Amino acid sequence: MNPSFRRPSLLLAFAIACLPMSSLVFAQQEQTDKATKATDEFAARFFDEANIRDYIAKVDTLIEQAESTVFASSEEMKDKIPGITTANGIKIAYSIRSNPDVGEVHHVSISRTPQYLATAFGTNLVGLFAERTGFVFPPAAYEVSQNNVYHAIWLVPVATLTEDKAAITQRREKNRKLEDPKKIFINAVKNGVTLQKQSKGAASKPANASPTTRKKQG
């Protein structure tokens, strides 16, 4: 019998040995392709009217939940921070912490973990949140974490708490008179870009500046 029929050639043996690695590479590529396709589909449908209506309704619900669950300390907040998930998988959490010596700290975080949320989309939703709450002045802190979680923190100082909350309520009522979801989101997009630009200079401004003071500062 021909020896070549009794045992595989070196080339064939090498190919057989490589099969598990090739399968692994193929599986990884397939997983990457699926993730890319999912991201593309998410981006393509981000501005669909159904999604916009969902963002608005769920942000409004979240604001109501947070305002009825004001925390007195960070210890109270563990596993209790109000949050929602939109129909397309965006997670938004919002907490309010009240300190009689400092004022109110409002913290919103937005992500699509474990998926990626592009900067433009994260900024749009920060803008929508600010529009629906009435916080149209720059946050005291605004950053994007390494895990692509968008954090915006507004401080309403105790010294001007009554004045500021009245101004916030007035802005909120004015913003919510608009009923067209597309127009609401257009305003949110513009506001998100503005807040992002303004927050870059926040370090040079007093963190406890009231809306009135911030307005005077430009």
Side-chain angles (χ1 to χ4, degrees):
M1 183 179 290
N2 191 322
S4 63
F5 288 99
R6 292 197 300 269
R7 61 184 181 183
S9 67
L10 290 177
L11 183 60
L12 180 59
F14 177 76
I16 293 172
C18 287
L19 276 176
M21 181 60 71
S22 299
S23 299
L24 179 61
V25 171
F26 178 78
Q28 288 175 335
Q29 183 60 51
E30 188 176 30
Q31 189 173 10
T32 300
D33 291 344
K34 285 181 179 178
T36 301
K37 183 180 179 182
T39 299
D40 290 344
E41 289 177 353
F42 170 84
R45 302 185 67 86
F46 181 83
F47 294 103
D48 284 1
E49 186 170 343
N51 279 328
I52 290 175
R53 288 182 181 277
D54 185 55
Y55 305 149
I56 296 168
K58 287 183 177 172
V59 165
D60 287 353
T61 297
L62 179 60
I63 291 168
E64 290 178 8
Q65 291 175 347
E67 290 181 341
S68 64
T69 319
V70 178
F71 300 100
S73 66
S74 56
E75 289 76 18
E76 286 185 3
M77 299 168 63
K78 187 177 180 181
D79 301 324
K80 295 179 182 177
I81 297 175
I84 58 93
T85 301
T86 65
N88 59 352
I90 299 169
K91 300 175 178 65
I92 307 176
Y94 175 35
S95 66
I96 304 173
R97 194 171 75 232
S98 179
N99 184 311
D101 298 320
V102 178
E104 289 184 353
V105 178
H106 296 248
H107 181 182
V108 64
S109 62
I110 299 171
S111 70
R112 191 172 163 249
T113 53
Q115 311 300 329
Y116 177 76
L117 182 63
T119 301
F121 299 149
T123 301
N124 293 165
L125 291 171
V126 171
L128 177 64
F129 174 83
E131 285 280 310
R132 305 307 284 178
T133 55
F135 284 108
V136 292
F137 52 91
Y142 186 121
E143 66 175 19
V144 183
S145 74
Q146 290 183 341
N147 295 324
N148 226 60
V149 179
Y150 297 78
H151 294 278
I153 300 173
W154 282 264
L155 173 64
V156 185
V158 67
T160 56
L161 188 63
T162 302
E163 175 191 351
D164 288 355
K165 293 194 78 171
I168 290 166
T169 300
Q170 185 177 8
R171 288 189 178 98
R172 180 186 302 188
E173 290 175 351
K174 179 181 178 181
N175 291 343
R176 294 196 183 191
K177 285 180 181 178
L178 186 61
E179 296 181 354
D180 185 325
K182 290 186 177 180
K183 289 182 179 179
I184 290 171
F185 208 69
I186 287 171
N187 289 343
V189 169
K190 292 177 181 177
N191 192 30
V193 172
T194 300
L195 290 177
Q196 186 182 42
K197 289 179 179 178
Q198 290 176 331
S199 65
K200 291 179 180 179
S204 63
K205 299 179 182 180
N208 63 345
S210 68
T212 306
T213 305
R214 284 194 175 100
K215 187 175 182 181
K216 289 179 180 177
Q217 290 175 331

